[in-house]
Amino acid sequence: DGITYQLTQTVTDRAQSTYQNVLVINQSLADIIGPITFTCSVENTIGVSPPSQPYIVTGGDVPLPPSATIVAVSSTAIKISWEDDFQRYGVISCTVSYERATGAMQQGPCHHTGHSNNLTFASHDMETAIIVTGLEEFSTYTVTIKTQNEVGCSSPSTWKVTTWPASPSSAPEWVNSTATTSTTITVQWGAVPCMDQNSEITGYRVQYGPVDSSHKTTDTVPGSASAGGMYTMIGLIPSTNYSIEVAAVN
């Protein structure tokens, strides 16, 4: 499992005689990290000459597919930790691509076509880990990593990672209420916008009370992400204005 380089130097002396000097270098493939630059110097009893012009030999291969550990660290961020020795393979750059997968919500009816984002790092800027932020809550992302050395690009490695759930980031799209008797009010509401659900919607919290009172009653109504809900408040005070709030629960 080795590779051999042979450098041949042609020399013509003052008598116009031509000689060839041959230098053979054997090297293990495991040590080859890409193109190698050779220079030659001549030494006599007085000293060593300046080096020759560089001679570049393309050796080795493209890097192996990258190895990494990718985990969610919050509802909007993931951490990518490198497991490769980039110096060993002569890696000069690394490209990380990530996009939200189609239908990435793990629960509910959300469907989304992902937009690809690319991060490219030069070898001297590579850290042992990076944090990718600004992602969507409770969403599955496809992460692809490939590296490049002087020979070419590695095959890509691909992972899927899901960000953490989070509380709904908006209220139901609409809320309507109707007094059905002097002591009852029926309230109806729509679903939370799909991209704001941030996890599976399990129900809705209805909070209500007289407008001029600090006392509020809270009830939880089972529900789902695909539809809103309805709730009837009973035992109310006749001829009284009520404030009503509806919030999604996940």
Short mmCIF file of all heavy atoms in Angstrom, two decimals, residues 182-245:
data_model
loop_
_atom_site.label_atom_id
_atom_site.label_comp_id
_atom_site.label_asym_id
_atom_site.label_seq_id
_atom_site.Cartn_x
_atom_site.Cartn_y
_atom_site.Cartn_z
N SER A 182 -78.60 34.55 28.16
CA SER A 182 -78.18 35.64 29.05
C SER A 182 -77.00 35.23 29.93
O SER A 182 -76.34 36.10 30.54
CB SER A 182 -79.36 36.09 29.92
OG SER A 182 -79.81 35.02 30.74
N THR A 183 -76.72 33.92 30.04
CA THR A 183 -75.64 33.47 30.92
C THR A 183 -74.63 32.56 30.20
O THR A 183 -73.80 31.93 30.85
CB THR A 183 -76.22 32.70 32.12
OG1 THR A 183 -76.99 31.58 31.64
CG2 THR A 183 -77.07 33.61 32.99
N THR A 184 -74.71 32.48 28.89
CA THR A 184 -73.76 31.64 28.15
C THR A 184 -73.22 32.38 26.93
O THR A 184 -73.92 33.19 26.32
CB THR A 184 -74.40 30.32 27.67
OG1 THR A 184 -75.50 30.63 26.79
CG2 THR A 184 -74.90 29.49 28.84
N ILE A 185 -71.97 32.09 26.63
CA ILE A 185 -71.31 32.62 25.42
C ILE A 185 -70.58 31.46 24.74
O ILE A 185 -69.87 30.69 25.41
CB ILE A 185 -70.30 33.74 25.75
CG1 ILE A 185 -71.01 34.96 26.35
CG2 ILE A 185 -69.50 34.13 24.50
CD1 ILE A 185 -70.06 36.06 26.79
N THR A 186 -70.75 31.33 23.45
CA THR A 186 -70.01 30.32 22.69
C THR A 186 -68.90 31.01 21.90
O THR A 186 -69.16 31.99 21.19
CB THR A 186 -70.94 29.56 21.73
OG1 THR A 186 -71.91 28.83 22.50
CG2 THR A 186 -70.15 28.58 20.87
N VAL A 187 -67.70 30.49 22.07
CA VAL A 187 -66.55 31.06 21.36
C VAL A 187 -66.01 30.00 20.40
O VAL A 187 -65.94 28.81 20.72
CB VAL A 187 -65.46 31.53 22.35
CG1 VAL A 187 -64.98 30.40 23.23
CG2 VAL A 187 -64.28 32.16 21.61
N GLN A 188 -65.65 30.44 19.20
CA GLN A 188 -65.05 29.57 18.20
C GLN A 188 -63.74 30.19 17.71
O GLN A 188 -63.59 31.42 17.72
CB GLN A 188 -66.00 29.37 17.01
CG GLN A 188 -67.27 28.61 17.34
CD GLN A 188 -68.19 28.49 16.13
OE1 GLN A 188 -68.73 29.49 15.66
NE2 GLN A 188 -68.34 27.27 15.62
N TRP A 189 -62.80 29.33 17.27
CA TRP A 189 -61.50 29.84 16.81
C TRP A 189 -60.93 28.95 15.71
O TRP A 189 -61.28 27.79 15.57
CB TRP A 189 -60.52 29.94 17.98
CG TRP A 189 -60.29 28.64 18.70
CD1 TRP A 189 -59.38 27.67 18.40
CD2 TRP A 189 -61.02 28.17 19.84
NE1 TRP A 189 -59.48 26.63 19.27
CE2 TRP A 189 -60.48 26.90 20.19
CE3 TRP A 189 -62.08 28.69 20.61
CZ2 TRP A 189 -60.96 26.15 21.25
CZ3 TRP A 189 -62.55 27.93 21.67
CH2 TRP A 189 -61.99 26.69 21.99
N GLY A 190 -60.04 29.54 14.94
CA GLY A 190 -59.37 28.81 13.88
C GLY A 190 -58.05 28.21 14.34
O GLY A 190 -57.64 28.35 15.50
N ALA A 191 -57.36 27.53 13.43
CA ALA A 191 -56.09 26.88 13.75
C ALA A 191 -54.96 27.91 13.86
O ALA A 191 -55.06 29.03 13.36
CB ALA A 191 -55.74 25.86 12.67
N VAL A 192 -53.90 27.51 14.53
CA VAL A 192 -52.69 28.32 14.57
C VAL A 192 -51.99 28.17 13.21
O VAL A 192 -51.97 27.07 12.64
CB VAL A 192 -51.76 27.84 15.70
CG1 VAL A 192 -50.42 28.57 15.65
CG2 VAL A 192 -52.43 28.01 17.04
N PRO A 193 -51.46 29.25 12.63
CA PRO A 193 -50.72 29.11 11.36
C PRO A 193 -49.68 27.99 11.45
O PRO A 193 -49.00 27.84 12.46
CB PRO A 193 -50.07 30.49 11.19
CG PRO A 193 -50.98 31.42 11.92
CD PRO A 193 -51.49 30.65 13.10
N CYS A 194 -49.61 27.24 10.39
CA CYS A 194 -48.80 26.02 10.40
C CYS A 194 -47.37 26.26 10.86
O CYS A 194 -46.84 25.53 11.70
CB CYS A 194 -48.81 25.42 9.00
SG CYS A 194 -48.10 23.79 8.92
N MET A 195 -46.71 27.28 10.32
CA MET A 195 -45.31 27.50 10.64
C MET A 195 -45.10 28.02 12.05
O MET A 195 -43.96 28.12 12.52
CB MET A 195 -44.71 28.49 9.64
CG MET A 195 -44.63 27.94 8.22
SD MET A 195 -43.58 26.47 8.12
CE MET A 195 -42.00 27.17 8.58
N ASP A 196 -46.18 28.37 12.75
CA ASP A 196 -46.07 28.89 14.12
C ASP A 196 -46.45 27.86 15.17
O ASP A 196 -46.45 28.16 16.36
CB ASP A 196 -46.96 30.12 14.29
CG ASP A 196 -46.50 31.28 13.43
OD1 ASP A 196 -45.29 31.33 13.11
OD2 ASP A 196 -47.33 32.14 13.08
N GLN A 197 -46.80 26.63 14.76
CA GLN A 197 -47.23 25.63 15.74
C GLN A 197 -46.06 25.11 16.57
O GLN A 197 -46.19 24.86 17.76
CB GLN A 197 -47.92 24.47 15.01
CG GLN A 197 -49.23 24.88 14.37
CD GLN A 197 -49.81 23.82 13.46
OE1 GLN A 197 -49.37 22.66 13.47
NE2 GLN A 197 -50.80 24.18 12.66
N ASN A 198 -44.91 24.90 15.94
CA ASN A 198 -43.65 24.55 16.62
C ASN A 198 -43.68 23.22 17.35
O ASN A 198 -42.73 22.91 18.09
CB ASN A 198 -43.23 25.66 17.59
CG ASN A 198 -43.09 27.00 16.89
OD1 ASN A 198 -42.87 27.07 15.69
ND2 ASN A 198 -43.27 28.07 17.63
N SER A 199 -44.71 22.46 17.21
CA SER A 199 -44.84 21.12 17.78
C SER A 199 -46.28 20.68 17.54
O SER A 199 -47.07 21.42 16.93
CB SER A 199 -44.51 21.10 19.27
OG SER A 199 -44.56 19.79 19.78
N GLU A 200 -46.62 19.51 18.03
CA GLU A 200 -48.00 19.03 17.86
C GLU A 200 -48.94 19.79 18.79
O GLU A 200 -48.73 19.84 20.01
CB GLU A 200 -48.07 17.53 18.18
CG GLU A 200 -49.47 16.96 18.04
CD GLU A 200 -49.53 15.50 18.43
OE1 GLU A 200 -48.53 14.98 18.95
OE2 GLU A 200 -50.60 14.89 18.22
N ILE A 201 -49.97 20.39 18.23
CA ILE A 201 -50.98 21.08 19.02
C ILE A 201 -51.86 20.03 19.71
O ILE A 201 -52.45 19.17 19.05
CB ILE A 201 -51.84 22.01 18.15
CG1 ILE A 201 -50.97 23.07 17.48
CG2 ILE A 201 -52.94 22.67 18.99
CD1 ILE A 201 -50.25 23.99 18.43
N THR A 202 -51.95 20.12 21.04
CA THR A 202 -52.73 19.14 21.79
C THR A 202 -54.04 19.70 22.33
O THR A 202 -54.90 18.95 22.78
CB THR A 202 -51.91 18.60 22.97
OG1 THR A 202 -51.52 19.70 23.81
CG2 THR A 202 -50.66 17.88 22.47
N GLY A 203 -54.18 21.01 22.33
CA GLY A 203 -55.40 21.60 22.85
C GLY A 203 -55.33 23.12 22.82
O GLY A 203 -54.38 23.71 22.29
N TYR A 204 -56.36 23.74 23.41
CA TYR A 204 -56.44 25.19 23.44
C TYR A 204 -56.85 25.64 24.84
O TYR A 204 -57.67 24.99 25.50
CB TYR A 204 -57.45 25.70 22.41
CG TYR A 204 -57.02 25.41 20.98
CD1 TYR A 204 -57.35 24.20 20.39
CD2 TYR A 204 -56.28 26.33 20.27
CE1 TYR A 204 -56.96 23.92 19.09
CE2 TYR A 204 -55.87 26.06 18.97
CZ TYR A 204 -56.21 24.85 18.39
OH TYR A 204 -55.80 24.57 17.12
N ARG A 205 -56.25 26.73 25.28
CA ARG A 205 -56.58 27.29 26.60
C ARG A 205 -57.48 28.49 26.41
O ARG A 205 -57.13 29.44 25.69
CB ARG A 205 -55.30 27.70 27.32
CG ARG A 205 -55.54 28.14 28.78
CD ARG A 205 -54.27 28.70 29.36
NE ARG A 205 -53.90 29.94 28.68
CZ ARG A 205 -52.67 30.46 28.71
NH1 ARG A 205 -51.70 29.82 29.33
NH2 ARG A 205 -52.41 31.61 28.07
N VAL A 206 -58.67 28.44 27.04
CA VAL A 206 -59.63 29.53 26.97
C VAL A 206 -59.67 30.23 28.32
O VAL A 206 -59.93 29.60 29.35
CB VAL A 206 -61.04 29.01 26.59
CG1 VAL A 206 -62.02 30.18 26.49
CG2 VAL A 206 -61.00 28.23 25.28
N GLN A 207 -59.38 31.51 28.31
CA GLN A 207 -59.39 32.29 29.55
C GLN A 207 -60.40 33.44 29.38
O GLN A 207 -60.38 34.15 28.37
CB GLN A 207 -58.00 32.86 29.83
CG GLN A 207 -57.88 33.54 31.20
CD GLN A 207 -56.46 33.99 31.48
OE1 GLN A 207 -55.96 34.92 30.86
NE2 GLN A 207 -55.80 33.31 32.41
N TYR A 208 -61.28 33.60 30.37
CA TYR A 208 -62.33 34.61 30.23
C TYR A 208 -62.71 35.16 31.60
O TYR A 208 -62.47 34.55 32.64
CB TYR A 208 -63.55 34.04 29.54
CG TYR A 208 -64.18 32.85 30.25
CD1 TYR A 208 -65.24 33.02 31.13
CD2 TYR A 208 -63.71 31.56 30.04
CE1 TYR A 208 -65.82 31.94 31.78
CE2 TYR A 208 -64.28 30.47 30.68
CZ TYR A 208 -65.33 30.66 31.56
OH TYR A 208 -65.89 29.58 32.21
N GLY A 209 -63.31 36.33 31.57
CA GLY A 209 -63.79 36.98 32.79
C GLY A 209 -64.40 38.32 32.46
O GLY A 209 -64.20 38.86 31.36
N PRO A 210 -65.17 38.90 33.40
CA PRO A 210 -65.74 40.23 33.17
C PRO A 210 -64.64 41.24 32.86
O PRO A 210 -63.54 41.19 33.44
CB PRO A 210 -66.45 40.55 34.49
CG PRO A 210 -66.76 39.20 35.08
CD PRO A 210 -65.60 38.34 34.70
N VAL A 211 -64.92 42.16 31.94
CA VAL A 211 -63.92 43.13 31.52
C VAL A 211 -63.41 43.95 32.69
O VAL A 211 -62.22 44.27 32.78
CB VAL A 211 -64.53 44.05 30.44
CG1 VAL A 211 -63.59 45.21 30.12
CG2 VAL A 211 -64.84 43.26 29.18
N ASP A 212 -64.30 44.32 33.66
CA ASP A 212 -63.90 45.19 34.77
C ASP A 212 -63.44 44.40 36.00
O ASP A 212 -63.36 44.94 37.10
CB ASP A 212 -65.04 46.13 35.14
CG ASP A 212 -66.32 45.36 35.51
OD1 ASP A 212 -66.29 44.11 35.44
OD2 ASP A 212 -67.31 46.02 35.86
N SER A 213 -63.10 43.11 35.81
CA SER A 213 -62.67 42.28 36.95
C SER A 213 -61.30 41.67 36.65
O SER A 213 -60.98 41.32 35.51
CB SER A 213 -63.70 41.16 37.20
OG SER A 213 -63.20 40.25 38.17
N SER A 214 -60.51 41.52 37.71
CA SER A 214 -59.20 40.87 37.56
C SER A 214 -59.32 39.36 37.66
O SER A 214 -58.35 38.64 37.38
CB SER A 214 -58.23 41.39 38.64
OG SER A 214 -58.73 41.09 39.94
N HIS A 215 -60.46 38.88 38.06
CA HIS A 215 -60.65 37.43 38.18
C HIS A 215 -60.93 36.83 36.81
O HIS A 215 -61.81 37.27 36.07
CB HIS A 215 -61.83 37.14 39.12
CG HIS A 215 -62.15 35.67 39.21
ND1 HIS A 215 -61.35 34.78 39.87
CD2 HIS A 215 -63.19 34.95 38.68
CE1 HIS A 215 -61.87 33.56 39.77
NE2 HIS A 215 -63.00 33.65 39.06
N LYS A 216 -60.15 35.79 36.47
CA LYS A 216 -60.31 35.11 35.19
C LYS A 216 -60.49 33.62 35.42
O LYS A 216 -59.92 33.03 36.34
CB LYS A 216 -59.08 35.34 34.29
CG LYS A 216 -58.76 36.81 34.04
CD LYS A 216 -59.84 37.50 33.22
CE LYS A 216 -59.45 38.96 32.96
NZ LYS A 216 -60.51 39.70 32.23
N THR A 217 -61.30 33.02 34.57
CA THR A 217 -61.50 31.56 34.58
C THR A 217 -60.74 30.97 33.40
O THR A 217 -60.80 31.50 32.29
CB THR A 217 -62.98 31.21 34.48
OG1 THR A 217 -63.68 31.76 35.60
CG2 THR A 217 -63.18 29.70 34.46
N THR A 218 -60.05 29.86 33.65
CA THR A 218 -59.25 29.23 32.59
C THR A 218 -59.69 27.78 32.43
O THR A 218 -59.76 27.02 33.40
CB THR A 218 -57.75 29.27 32.90
OG1 THR A 218 -57.34 30.64 33.06
CG2 THR A 218 -56.95 28.63 31.78
N ASP A 219 -59.97 27.39 31.21
CA ASP A 219 -60.30 26.01 30.88
C ASP A 219 -59.45 25.57 29.69
O ASP A 219 -59.09 26.39 28.83
CB ASP A 219 -61.78 25.85 30.51
CG ASP A 219 -62.69 25.92 31.74
OD1 ASP A 219 -62.25 25.45 32.81
OD2 ASP A 219 -63.81 26.44 31.62
N THR A 220 -59.13 24.28 29.64
CA THR A 220 -58.37 23.72 28.51
C THR A 220 -59.28 22.81 27.70
O THR A 220 -59.96 21.93 28.25
CB THR A 220 -57.15 22.94 29.00
OG1 THR A 220 -56.29 23.82 29.72
CG2 THR A 220 -56.38 22.36 27.82
N VAL A 221 -59.30 23.06 26.41
CA VAL A 221 -60.17 22.32 25.49
C VAL A 221 -59.29 21.46 24.58
O VAL A 221 -58.36 21.97 23.96
CB VAL A 221 -61.01 23.28 24.64
CG1 VAL A 221 -61.94 22.51 23.72
CG2 VAL A 221 -61.78 24.24 25.53
N PRO A 222 -59.55 20.15 24.49
CA PRO A 222 -58.76 19.32 23.56
C PRO A 222 -58.93 19.82 22.13
O PRO A 222 -59.96 20.35 21.74
CB PRO A 222 -59.37 17.92 23.74
CG PRO A 222 -60.04 17.95 25.07
CD PRO A 222 -60.53 19.36 25.24
N GLY A 223 -57.87 19.68 21.34
CA GLY A 223 -57.92 20.13 19.96
C GLY A 223 -56.75 19.57 19.18
O GLY A 223 -55.94 18.80 19.70
N SER A 224 -56.65 19.96 17.94
CA SER A 224 -55.58 19.47 17.07
C SER A 224 -55.09 20.62 16.21
O SER A 224 -55.68 21.70 16.16
CB SER A 224 -56.08 18.33 16.20
OG SER A 224 -57.05 18.79 15.28
N ALA A 225 -54.00 20.32 15.48
CA ALA A 225 -53.41 21.36 14.64
C ALA A 225 -54.22 21.61 13.38
O ALA A 225 -54.17 22.69 12.80
CB ALA A 225 -51.99 20.94 14.26
N SER A 226 -54.96 20.60 12.92
CA SER A 226 -55.63 20.72 11.63
C SER A 226 -56.88 21.58 11.67
O SER A 226 -57.39 21.97 10.62
CB SER A 226 -56.00 19.32 11.11
OG SER A 226 -56.86 18.66 12.03
N ALA A 227 -57.38 21.87 12.86
CA ALA A 227 -58.60 22.67 12.97
C ALA A 227 -58.57 23.45 14.28
O ALA A 227 -57.76 23.17 15.17
CB ALA A 227 -59.84 21.78 12.91
N GLY A 228 -59.46 24.41 14.38
CA GLY A 228 -59.59 25.16 15.61
C GLY A 228 -60.49 24.44 16.59
O GLY A 228 -60.41 23.21 16.74
N GLY A 229 -61.36 25.18 17.24
CA GLY A 229 -62.22 24.54 18.21
C GLY A 229 -63.39 25.42 18.60
O GLY A 229 -63.58 26.52 18.07
N MET A 230 -64.17 24.94 19.56
CA MET A 230 -65.35 25.66 20.03
C MET A 230 -65.52 25.35 21.51
O MET A 230 -65.24 24.24 21.98
CB MET A 230 -66.59 25.23 19.24
CG MET A 230 -67.87 25.96 19.67
SD MET A 230 -69.29 25.48 18.63
CE MET A 230 -69.51 23.77 19.16
N TYR A 231 -65.99 26.35 22.27
CA TYR A 231 -66.18 26.18 23.71
C TYR A 231 -67.34 27.09 24.12
O TYR A 231 -67.45 28.24 23.67
CB TYR A 231 -64.92 26.56 24.46
CG TYR A 231 -65.04 26.48 25.96
CD1 TYR A 231 -65.08 25.25 26.61
CD2 TYR A 231 -65.10 27.64 26.72
CE1 TYR A 231 -65.16 25.18 27.99
CE2 TYR A 231 -65.19 27.58 28.10
CZ TYR A 231 -65.23 26.34 28.73
OH TYR A 231 -65.33 26.28 30.10
N THR A 232 -68.20 26.56 25.01
CA THR A 232 -69.31 27.35 25.53
C THR A 232 -69.08 27.64 27.01
O THR A 232 -68.90 26.72 27.82
CB THR A 232 -70.65 26.62 25.35
OG1 THR A 232 -70.90 26.43 23.95
CG2 THR A 232 -71.79 27.44 25.94
N MET A 233 -69.06 28.92 27.35
CA MET A 233 -68.91 29.37 28.74
C MET A 233 -70.30 29.49 29.36
O MET A 233 -71.20 30.09 28.76
CB MET A 233 -68.19 30.72 28.77
CG MET A 233 -66.78 30.67 28.16
SD MET A 233 -66.05 32.31 27.94
CE MET A 233 -66.94 32.89 26.51
N ILE A 234 -70.46 28.91 30.53
CA ILE A 234 -71.77 28.89 31.19
C ILE A 234 -71.69 29.57 32.54
O ILE A 234 -70.60 29.81 33.06
CB ILE A 234 -72.30 27.45 31.33
CG1 ILE A 234 -71.36 26.62 32.22
CG2 ILE A 234 -72.45 26.79 29.95
CD1 ILE A 234 -71.86 25.22 32.51
N GLY A 235 -72.85 29.85 33.10
CA GLY A 235 -72.91 30.45 34.44
C GLY A 235 -72.39 31.87 34.48
O GLY A 235 -71.86 32.31 35.51
N LEU A 236 -72.56 32.61 33.40
CA LEU A 236 -72.03 33.97 33.34
C LEU A 236 -73.02 34.96 33.96
O LEU A 236 -74.19 34.63 34.22
CB LEU A 236 -71.76 34.35 31.88
CG LEU A 236 -70.85 33.38 31.10
CD1 LEU A 236 -70.64 33.90 29.68
CD2 LEU A 236 -69.51 33.19 31.81
N ILE A 237 -72.53 36.15 34.18
CA ILE A 237 -73.36 37.21 34.77
C ILE A 237 -74.14 37.90 33.65
O ILE A 237 -73.54 38.34 32.66
CB ILE A 237 -72.50 38.24 35.52
CG1 ILE A 237 -71.65 37.54 36.60
CG2 ILE A 237 -73.36 39.34 36.12
CD1 ILE A 237 -70.62 38.46 37.23
N PRO A 238 -75.47 37.97 33.75
CA PRO A 238 -76.25 38.61 32.69
C PRO A 238 -75.84 40.07 32.47
O PRO A 238 -75.38 40.75 33.39
CB PRO A 238 -77.70 38.52 33.19
CG PRO A 238 -77.68 37.36 34.15
CD PRO A 238 -76.34 37.41 34.81
N SER A 239 -76.00 40.52 31.27
CA SER A 239 -75.74 41.92 30.88
C SER A 239 -74.33 42.39 31.26
O SER A 239 -74.13 43.51 31.73
CB SER A 239 -76.79 42.85 31.53
OG SER A 239 -78.10 42.47 31.16
N THR A 240 -73.34 41.51 31.07
CA THR A 240 -71.96 41.82 31.44
C THR A 240 -71.04 41.59 30.23
O THR A 240 -71.16 40.59 29.52
CB THR A 240 -71.48 40.93 32.61
OG1 THR A 240 -72.36 41.15 33.73
CG2 THR A 240 -70.05 41.26 33.00
N ASN A 241 -70.14 42.52 30.02
CA ASN A 241 -69.15 42.36 28.96
C ASN A 241 -68.00 41.47 29.45
O ASN A 241 -67.48 41.66 30.56
CB ASN A 241 -68.58 43.72 28.53
CG ASN A 241 -69.62 44.56 27.80
OD1 ASN A 241 -70.46 44.03 27.07
ND2 ASN A 241 -69.56 45.86 27.98
N TYR A 242 -67.61 40.52 28.63
CA TYR A 242 -66.53 39.58 28.98
C TYR A 242 -65.35 39.73 28.01
O TYR A 242 -65.56 39.97 26.80
CB TYR A 242 -67.04 38.13 28.94
CG TYR A 242 -67.74 37.72 30.21
CD1 TYR A 242 -69.09 38.10 30.42
CD2 TYR A 242 -67.12 36.97 31.16
CE1 TYR A 242 -69.75 37.73 31.58
CE2 TYR A 242 -67.76 36.60 32.32
CZ TYR A 242 -69.08 36.97 32.53
OH TYR A 242 -69.73 36.60 33.70
N SER A 243 -64.16 39.62 28.56
CA SER A 243 -62.97 39.51 27.72
C SER A 243 -62.64 38.02 27.58
O SER A 243 -62.73 37.26 28.54
CB SER A 243 -61.79 40.27 28.34
OG SER A 243 -61.40 39.67 29.56
N ILE A 244 -62.25 37.62 26.39
CA ILE A 244 -61.99 36.21 26.10
C ILE A 244 -60.64 36.09 25.37
O ILE A 244 -60.39 36.83 24.41
CB ILE A 244 -63.09 35.59 25.23
CG1 ILE A 244 -64.47 35.78 25.90
CG2 ILE A 244 -62.82 34.11 24.96
CD1 ILE A 244 -65.64 35.45 24.97
N GLU A 245 -59.79 35.19 25.85
CA GLU A 245 -58.50 34.94 25.19
C GLU A 245 -58.39 33.44 24.89
O GLU A 245 -58.76 32.61 25.72
CB GLU A 245 -57.34 35.36 26.08
CG GLU A 245 -57.28 36.85 26.35
CD GLU A 245 -56.11 37.23 27.25
OE1 GLU A 245 -55.42 36.28 27.73
OE2 GLU A 245 -55.89 38.42 27.46
#
